[in-house]
Amino acid sequence: MAPHGVLVVGSITADVTAFSTRLPRRGETVLGDDFTLVLGGKGANQAVAAARAGARTWLAGCVGRDPFRDIVLDGLRSHGVELGEVRTVEGRTGVAHIRVDASGENDIVITPLANADLSVEMVDESIRATRGEVGVMLLQLEVPVATTFHAAKAGAAAGLTVVLDPAPAQPLPADIWQYVDVITPNESEAAALTGVEVTDAASAEQAARWFLDRGVKHALITLGAAGAVSVTRERTRLFTAYEVTAVDTTAAGDAFTGSLGAALAAGAEMERAIRRGMAAGALATTRPGASPSLPGRADVDALIETRGESTETGGEGTGSTDTAMEGAAR
Ligand code: ADP
């Protein structure tokens, strides 16, 4: 039987969030209305999303020796993420310092701290330790680029389906693309990496081709409430989003990628995996916060069951070839 698990290589932070009517001006102090301290980091969010989507999920990441460690480990444990590949290193757990105003506008300072210690050796150990258990590797860009690059290369060599969410966008080594099976940027990340301004499905397809030309097998450009564009050498398709009432779009992308990865690991066809990712992304926007907003498998099933067919716009797409879609799942 093919391995059904997911290995996430990425960041773990304590998300420290203050809510106030308005954000303070430079040098100003304002009184806040509320405060939360929860698990965060793109790696941790993707791991929670994959675990909640039903995949056995390991997270290769680093936390420090401090009180935030217990908070983030409790968060991961409570969502069912395997902790065997989380290392405790000297120093402090990474922190995202977030301020949110009444309109939902926010600003964020992320301090990587322990995340900077995630090394290529740790990644190799985690690939070895989970061999035979995982079929999909999920990557993002909040840990050192050299570590992410190595993970993609070693993951591909180990036969894993490598999914990269290039967020936050930053320059990457040109030879990483050959190791990436699926890339999942949003509009602004796609634009930052490719130089193509992504404003609609046609420009998303153009950006997607940039990745394909460099060796990525499948580019999935997510467009928020406008859905996602899926591009392989064989076929381009536009998937329209599930209609929901969004209250907070934080972590929609993490829900999308985590759920997509879990579905691919379970052996789903790419099209079905995309639909599950999109349903999870839509549901994540209906609840406030990041990791607390990530939906479970039953919620995704329910949304797809009621509205599944409405997401297929098949032939419309952006006018490209219409041959069978290449599946990145192995
Ligand atoms: P990111 O959070 O990385 O910017 P997106 O906002 O593009 O990612 O969201 C990822 C996916 O989640 C989208 O492709 C879409 O399917 C779904 N999604 C996001 N926002 C909404 C929304 N407002 N309504 C419905 N679906 C959404």
Side-chain angles (χ1 to χ4, degrees), residues 42 165 167 184-189 220-229 239-257 274-275 277-286 303:
K42 287 198 84 64
D165 189 8
T184 61
N186 66 14
E187 297 105 315
S188 63
E189 291 144 9
L220 278 171
I221 316 288
T222 67
L223 305 171
V229 170
F239 288 80
T240 54
Y242 288 92
E243 248 177 73
V244 291
T245 306
V247 297
D248 176 0
T249 60
T250 311
D254 298 334
F256 175 85
T257 308
I274 292 171
R275 219 177 288 133
M278 295 184 64
L283 287 168
T285 71
T286 64
L303 184 62

Short mmCIF file of all heavy atoms in Angstrom, two decimals, residues 42 165 167 184-189 220-229 239-257 274-275 277-286 303, ligand 1:
data_model
loop_
_atom_site.label_atom_id
_atom_site.label_comp_id
_atom_site.label_asym_id
_atom_site.label_seq_id
_atom_site.Cartn_x
_atom_site.Cartn_y
_atom_site.Cartn_z
N LYS A 42 3.66 28.98 9.30
CA LYS A 42 3.08 28.33 8.12
C LYS A 42 3.28 26.82 8.15
O LYS A 42 2.40 26.08 7.73
CB LYS A 42 3.69 28.90 6.83
CG LYS A 42 3.22 30.30 6.51
CD LYS A 42 3.45 30.68 5.08
CE LYS A 42 2.36 30.20 4.16
NZ LYS A 42 1.05 30.79 4.41
N ASP A 165 4.57 25.75 -1.06
CA ASP A 165 3.82 27.01 -1.00
C ASP A 165 4.87 28.10 -0.81
O ASP A 165 5.45 28.21 0.27
CB ASP A 165 2.86 26.96 0.20
CG ASP A 165 1.89 28.13 0.19
OD1 ASP A 165 1.88 28.88 -0.80
OD2 ASP A 165 1.18 28.31 1.18
N ALA A 167 5.70 30.91 0.28
CA ALA A 167 5.28 32.04 1.11
C ALA A 167 6.06 32.04 2.42
O ALA A 167 6.24 30.98 3.01
CB ALA A 167 3.79 31.92 1.42
N THR A 184 2.07 26.16 -5.03
CA THR A 184 0.76 26.73 -4.70
C THR A 184 0.84 28.19 -4.25
O THR A 184 0.42 28.54 -3.14
CB THR A 184 0.07 25.90 -3.58
OG1 THR A 184 0.89 25.96 -2.40
CG2 THR A 184 -0.14 24.46 -3.97
N PRO A 185 1.36 29.10 -5.10
CA PRO A 185 1.42 30.51 -4.69
C PRO A 185 0.05 31.18 -4.80
O PRO A 185 -0.78 30.77 -5.61
CB PRO A 185 2.38 31.12 -5.72
CG PRO A 185 2.20 30.28 -6.94
CD PRO A 185 1.88 28.89 -6.46
N ASN A 186 -0.16 32.24 -4.01
CA ASN A 186 -1.32 33.10 -4.26
C ASN A 186 -0.90 34.15 -5.30
O ASN A 186 0.22 34.11 -5.81
CB ASN A 186 -1.86 33.71 -2.95
CG ASN A 186 -0.87 34.68 -2.30
OD1 ASN A 186 0.10 35.10 -2.91
ND2 ASN A 186 -1.13 35.04 -1.06
N GLU A 187 -1.79 35.10 -5.59
CA GLU A 187 -1.50 36.07 -6.65
C GLU A 187 -0.20 36.82 -6.40
O GLU A 187 0.64 36.96 -7.30
CB GLU A 187 -2.60 37.14 -6.78
CG GLU A 187 -3.97 36.68 -7.15
CD GLU A 187 -4.91 36.69 -5.97
OE1 GLU A 187 -4.50 36.21 -4.87
OE2 GLU A 187 -6.06 37.13 -6.14
N SER A 188 -0.05 37.33 -5.15
CA SER A 188 1.09 38.21 -4.92
C SER A 188 2.39 37.42 -4.89
O SER A 188 3.43 37.90 -5.36
CB SER A 188 0.89 39.03 -3.64
OG SER A 188 0.84 38.19 -2.54
N GLU A 189 2.35 36.19 -4.37
CA GLU A 189 3.57 35.37 -4.38
C GLU A 189 3.94 34.99 -5.81
O GLU A 189 5.13 35.02 -6.18
CB GLU A 189 3.34 34.11 -3.53
CG GLU A 189 3.22 34.42 -2.04
CD GLU A 189 2.23 33.55 -1.30
OE1 GLU A 189 1.73 32.56 -1.86
OE2 GLU A 189 1.94 33.88 -0.13
N LEU A 220 -0.39 25.62 -9.27
CA LEU A 220 -1.74 25.94 -8.81
C LEU A 220 -1.70 27.34 -8.24
O LEU A 220 -1.13 27.56 -7.18
CB LEU A 220 -2.14 24.98 -7.67
CG LEU A 220 -2.66 23.62 -8.05
CD1 LEU A 220 -2.79 22.73 -6.81
CD2 LEU A 220 -4.01 23.79 -8.72
N ILE A 221 -2.24 28.31 -8.98
CA ILE A 221 -2.21 29.69 -8.49
C ILE A 221 -3.54 29.93 -7.79
O ILE A 221 -4.60 29.81 -8.43
CB ILE A 221 -2.05 30.70 -9.65
CG1 ILE A 221 -0.98 30.25 -10.66
CG2 ILE A 221 -1.76 32.10 -9.10
CD1 ILE A 221 0.44 30.32 -10.25
N THR A 222 -3.49 30.25 -6.49
CA THR A 222 -4.74 30.46 -5.76
C THR A 222 -5.12 31.94 -5.85
O THR A 222 -4.27 32.83 -5.77
CB THR A 222 -4.64 30.01 -4.30
OG1 THR A 222 -3.73 30.85 -3.59
CG2 THR A 222 -4.19 28.56 -4.19
N LEU A 223 -6.42 32.18 -6.05
CA LEU A 223 -6.91 33.53 -6.32
C LEU A 223 -7.96 33.96 -5.29
O LEU A 223 -8.87 34.72 -5.61
CB LEU A 223 -7.52 33.59 -7.73
CG LEU A 223 -6.62 33.12 -8.89
CD1 LEU A 223 -7.41 33.03 -10.19
CD2 LEU A 223 -5.43 34.06 -9.07
N GLY A 224 -7.84 33.48 -4.05
CA GLY A 224 -8.80 33.86 -3.01
C GLY A 224 -10.21 33.50 -3.41
O GLY A 224 -10.46 32.39 -3.88
N ALA A 225 -11.13 34.47 -3.27
CA ALA A 225 -12.54 34.22 -3.58
C ALA A 225 -12.77 33.94 -5.07
O ALA A 225 -13.85 33.48 -5.46
CB ALA A 225 -13.38 35.40 -3.13
N ALA A 226 -11.75 34.20 -5.90
CA ALA A 226 -11.89 33.92 -7.34
C ALA A 226 -11.46 32.50 -7.68
O ALA A 226 -11.46 32.11 -8.85
CB ALA A 226 -11.10 34.93 -8.15
N GLY A 227 -11.06 31.70 -6.67
CA GLY A 227 -10.77 30.29 -6.92
C GLY A 227 -9.32 29.98 -7.14
O GLY A 227 -8.44 30.53 -6.45
N ALA A 228 -9.02 29.12 -8.10
CA ALA A 228 -7.64 28.71 -8.36
C ALA A 228 -7.49 28.30 -9.82
O ALA A 228 -8.42 27.79 -10.43
CB ALA A 228 -7.26 27.54 -7.45
N VAL A 229 -6.29 28.56 -10.35
CA VAL A 229 -5.98 28.15 -11.72
C VAL A 229 -4.95 27.03 -11.65
O VAL A 229 -3.94 27.15 -10.97
CB VAL A 229 -5.43 29.34 -12.54
CG1 VAL A 229 -4.89 28.87 -13.88
CG2 VAL A 229 -6.52 30.37 -12.75
N PHE A 239 -10.74 26.65 -11.49
CA PHE A 239 -11.69 26.13 -10.51
C PHE A 239 -12.30 27.33 -9.80
O PHE A 239 -11.57 28.13 -9.20
CB PHE A 239 -10.98 25.25 -9.49
CG PHE A 239 -10.52 23.92 -10.03
CD1 PHE A 239 -9.36 23.82 -10.79
CD2 PHE A 239 -11.26 22.77 -9.78
CE1 PHE A 239 -8.94 22.59 -11.28
CE2 PHE A 239 -10.84 21.54 -10.27
CZ PHE A 239 -9.69 21.45 -11.02
N THR A 240 -13.61 27.46 -9.84
CA THR A 240 -14.25 28.57 -9.13
C THR A 240 -14.37 28.22 -7.65
O THR A 240 -14.47 27.05 -7.29
CB THR A 240 -15.64 28.89 -9.70
OG1 THR A 240 -16.41 27.70 -9.71
CG2 THR A 240 -15.54 29.44 -11.10
N ALA A 241 -14.32 29.24 -6.79
CA ALA A 241 -14.29 29.01 -5.34
C ALA A 241 -15.66 28.56 -4.83
O ALA A 241 -16.68 28.82 -5.46
CB ALA A 241 -13.86 30.29 -4.63
N TYR A 242 -15.64 27.90 -3.68
CA TYR A 242 -16.89 27.62 -2.96
C TYR A 242 -17.37 28.94 -2.37
O TYR A 242 -16.57 29.66 -1.77
CB TYR A 242 -16.65 26.62 -1.85
CG TYR A 242 -16.40 25.23 -2.35
CD1 TYR A 242 -15.10 24.79 -2.61
CD2 TYR A 242 -17.45 24.36 -2.58
CE1 TYR A 242 -14.86 23.51 -3.09
CE2 TYR A 242 -17.23 23.08 -3.06
CZ TYR A 242 -15.93 22.67 -3.32
OH TYR A 242 -15.70 21.41 -3.80
N GLU A 243 -18.65 29.21 -2.53
CA GLU A 243 -19.15 30.48 -2.01
C GLU A 243 -19.41 30.38 -0.51
O GLU A 243 -20.15 29.50 -0.07
CB GLU A 243 -20.44 30.87 -2.72
CG GLU A 243 -20.25 32.09 -3.58
CD GLU A 243 -21.49 32.44 -4.34
OE1 GLU A 243 -22.44 32.94 -3.69
OE2 GLU A 243 -21.51 32.20 -5.56
N VAL A 244 -18.77 31.24 0.24
CA VAL A 244 -18.96 31.26 1.69
C VAL A 244 -18.99 32.73 2.14
O VAL A 244 -18.65 33.62 1.37
CB VAL A 244 -17.79 30.55 2.42
CG1 VAL A 244 -17.82 29.05 2.18
CG2 VAL A 244 -16.44 31.14 2.02
N THR A 245 -19.38 32.94 3.39
CA THR A 245 -19.30 34.28 3.96
C THR A 245 -17.99 34.38 4.73
O THR A 245 -17.83 33.79 5.80
CB THR A 245 -20.49 34.55 4.90
OG1 THR A 245 -21.68 34.28 4.17
CG2 THR A 245 -20.49 35.99 5.41
N ALA A 246 -17.03 35.09 4.14
CA ALA A 246 -15.70 35.16 4.74
C ALA A 246 -15.68 36.19 5.87
O ALA A 246 -16.19 37.30 5.70
CB ALA A 246 -14.68 35.52 3.67
N VAL A 247 -15.11 35.81 7.01
CA VAL A 247 -14.93 36.79 8.10
C VAL A 247 -13.45 37.10 8.34
O VAL A 247 -13.10 38.17 8.82
CB VAL A 247 -15.59 36.33 9.43
CG1 VAL A 247 -17.10 36.20 9.26
CG2 VAL A 247 -14.99 35.03 9.94
N ASP A 248 -12.56 36.15 8.00
CA ASP A 248 -11.13 36.36 8.22
C ASP A 248 -10.38 35.39 7.30
O ASP A 248 -10.46 34.18 7.48
CB ASP A 248 -10.80 36.08 9.70
CG ASP A 248 -9.30 36.19 10.00
OD1 ASP A 248 -8.51 36.48 9.08
OD2 ASP A 248 -8.92 35.96 11.17
N THR A 249 -9.69 35.96 6.32
CA THR A 249 -9.06 35.09 5.30
C THR A 249 -7.70 34.54 5.73
O THR A 249 -7.06 33.82 4.96
CB THR A 249 -8.89 35.85 3.97
OG1 THR A 249 -8.06 36.99 4.21
CG2 THR A 249 -10.23 36.30 3.41
N THR A 250 -7.26 34.84 6.97
CA THR A 250 -5.98 34.32 7.45
C THR A 250 -5.97 32.79 7.35
O THR A 250 -6.93 32.14 7.73
CB THR A 250 -5.76 34.70 8.93
OG1 THR A 250 -6.01 36.08 9.07
CG2 THR A 250 -4.34 34.41 9.37
N ALA A 251 -4.88 32.25 6.84
CA ALA A 251 -4.64 30.79 6.80
C ALA A 251 -5.47 30.06 5.75
O ALA A 251 -5.46 28.83 5.72
CB ALA A 251 -4.83 30.14 8.16
N ALA A 252 -6.16 30.78 4.86
CA ALA A 252 -6.88 30.09 3.77
C ALA A 252 -5.88 29.29 2.93
O ALA A 252 -6.13 28.13 2.58
CB ALA A 252 -7.62 31.09 2.90
N GLY A 253 -4.74 29.91 2.64
CA GLY A 253 -3.72 29.23 1.83
C GLY A 253 -3.15 28.01 2.54
O GLY A 253 -2.88 26.99 1.91
N ASP A 254 -2.96 28.11 3.86
CA ASP A 254 -2.45 26.96 4.62
C ASP A 254 -3.48 25.83 4.63
O ASP A 254 -3.12 24.65 4.52
CB ASP A 254 -2.10 27.37 6.06
CG ASP A 254 -1.01 28.43 6.09
OD1 ASP A 254 -0.21 28.49 5.15
OD2 ASP A 254 -0.98 29.20 7.06
N ALA A 255 -4.74 26.20 4.79
CA ALA A 255 -5.81 25.19 4.76
C ALA A 255 -5.83 24.51 3.39
O ALA A 255 -5.94 23.28 3.29
CB ALA A 255 -7.16 25.84 5.04
N PHE A 256 -5.70 25.32 2.33
CA PHE A 256 -5.70 24.80 0.96
C PHE A 256 -4.57 23.78 0.77
O PHE A 256 -4.80 22.64 0.36
CB PHE A 256 -5.54 25.98 -0.02
CG PHE A 256 -5.41 25.56 -1.46
CD1 PHE A 256 -6.53 25.32 -2.23
CD2 PHE A 256 -4.15 25.41 -2.04
CE1 PHE A 256 -6.40 24.92 -3.57
CE2 PHE A 256 -4.02 25.01 -3.37
CZ PHE A 256 -5.15 24.78 -4.13
N THR A 257 -3.35 24.20 1.09
CA THR A 257 -2.20 23.34 0.82
C THR A 257 -2.20 22.10 1.71
O THR A 257 -1.89 20.99 1.26
CB THR A 257 -0.89 24.13 0.99
OG1 THR A 257 -0.98 25.32 0.20
CG2 THR A 257 0.30 23.33 0.52
N ILE A 274 -7.56 19.07 -5.38
CA ILE A 274 -7.70 20.53 -5.51
C ILE A 274 -9.04 20.96 -4.91
O ILE A 274 -9.13 21.93 -4.15
CB ILE A 274 -7.62 20.97 -7.00
CG1 ILE A 274 -6.21 20.74 -7.54
CG2 ILE A 274 -8.03 22.44 -7.16
CD1 ILE A 274 -6.08 20.93 -9.05
N ARG A 275 -10.08 20.20 -5.23
CA ARG A 275 -11.40 20.57 -4.71
C ARG A 275 -11.43 20.50 -3.18
O ARG A 275 -12.00 21.36 -2.53
CB ARG A 275 -12.46 19.64 -5.31
CG ARG A 275 -13.70 20.40 -5.63
CD ARG A 275 -14.75 19.56 -6.29
NE ARG A 275 -14.40 19.24 -7.66
CZ ARG A 275 -14.51 18.01 -8.17
NH1 ARG A 275 -14.90 17.01 -7.42
NH2 ARG A 275 -14.21 17.80 -9.42
N GLY A 277 -8.84 20.95 -1.22
CA GLY A 277 -8.06 22.10 -0.75
C GLY A 277 -8.88 23.37 -0.81
O GLY A 277 -8.87 24.18 0.13
N MET A 278 -9.62 23.54 -1.89
CA MET A 278 -10.43 24.76 -2.04
C MET A 278 -11.56 24.83 -1.02
O MET A 278 -11.86 25.90 -0.49
CB MET A 278 -10.99 24.84 -3.46
CG MET A 278 -9.87 24.99 -4.48
SD MET A 278 -10.48 25.19 -6.13
CE MET A 278 -11.31 26.73 -5.96
N ALA A 279 -12.16 23.68 -0.74
CA ALA A 279 -13.22 23.65 0.26
C ALA A 279 -12.64 24.00 1.64
O ALA A 279 -13.23 24.78 2.40
CB ALA A 279 -13.90 22.29 0.28
N ALA A 280 -11.47 23.46 1.94
CA ALA A 280 -10.83 23.75 3.22
C ALA A 280 -10.45 25.23 3.31
O ALA A 280 -10.65 25.88 4.33
CB ALA A 280 -9.60 22.87 3.42
N GLY A 281 -9.94 25.79 2.20
CA GLY A 281 -9.58 27.21 2.17
C GLY A 281 -10.81 28.08 2.40
O GLY A 281 -10.77 29.04 3.17
N ALA A 282 -11.90 27.73 1.74
CA ALA A 282 -13.14 28.50 1.90
C ALA A 282 -13.62 28.44 3.35
O ALA A 282 -13.97 29.47 3.95
CB ALA A 282 -14.22 27.96 0.96
N LEU A 283 -13.61 27.24 3.93
CA LEU A 283 -14.09 27.09 5.31
C LEU A 283 -13.21 27.85 6.30
O LEU A 283 -13.71 28.43 7.27
CB LEU A 283 -14.15 25.60 5.69
CG LEU A 283 -15.28 24.82 5.03
CD1 LEU A 283 -15.07 23.31 5.22
CD2 LEU A 283 -16.64 25.25 5.59
N ALA A 284 -11.90 27.89 6.03
CA ALA A 284 -10.99 28.60 6.94
C ALA A 284 -11.33 30.09 7.00
O ALA A 284 -11.09 30.74 8.02
CB ALA A 284 -9.54 28.41 6.49
N THR A 285 -11.90 30.63 5.91
CA THR A 285 -12.24 32.06 5.92
C THR A 285 -13.51 32.36 6.70
O THR A 285 -13.81 33.51 6.98
CB THR A 285 -12.45 32.62 4.48
OG1 THR A 285 -13.67 32.11 3.95
CG2 THR A 285 -11.29 32.28 3.57
N THR A 286 -14.26 31.32 7.05
CA THR A 286 -15.52 31.56 7.76
C THR A 286 -15.32 31.65 9.27
O THR A 286 -16.27 31.88 10.01
CB THR A 286 -16.56 30.45 7.46
OG1 THR A 286 -16.06 29.20 7.97
CG2 THR A 286 -16.83 30.32 5.98
N LEU A 303 -19.21 20.29 2.82
CA LEU A 303 -19.25 21.38 1.84
C LEU A 303 -19.19 20.83 0.42
O LEU A 303 -19.93 21.28 -0.47
CB LEU A 303 -18.10 22.37 2.09
CG LEU A 303 -18.07 23.61 1.20
CD1 LEU A 303 -19.32 24.46 1.40
CD2 LEU A 303 -16.83 24.45 1.47
P1 ADP B 1 -3.61 32.78 0.65
O1 ADP B 1 -4.23 32.66 1.99
O2 ADP B 1 -2.30 32.07 0.52
O3 ADP B 1 -3.58 34.18 0.09
P2 ADP B 1 -5.93 32.31 -1.02
O4 ADP B 1 -6.57 33.48 -0.36
O5 ADP B 1 -5.74 32.36 -2.49
O6 ADP B 1 -4.56 31.91 -0.34
O7 ADP B 1 -6.85 31.04 -0.65
C1 ADP B 1 -6.57 29.71 -1.00
C2 ADP B 1 -7.83 29.04 -1.51
O8 ADP B 1 -8.85 29.09 -0.49
C3 ADP B 1 -8.46 29.73 -2.73
O9 ADP B 1 -7.96 29.15 -3.94
C4 ADP B 1 -9.93 29.44 -2.56
O10 ADP B 1 -10.27 28.19 -3.12
C5 ADP B 1 -10.12 29.40 -1.06
N1 ADP B 1 -10.58 30.72 -0.60
C6 ADP B 1 -9.82 31.74 -0.11
N2 ADP B 1 -10.59 32.83 0.17
C7 ADP B 1 -11.86 32.48 -0.16
C8 ADP B 1 -13.13 33.16 -0.10
N3 ADP B 1 -13.22 34.42 0.34
N4 ADP B 1 -14.22 32.48 -0.52
C9 ADP B 1 -14.14 31.21 -0.97
N5 ADP B 1 -12.98 30.51 -1.04
C10 ADP B 1 -11.85 31.13 -0.64
#
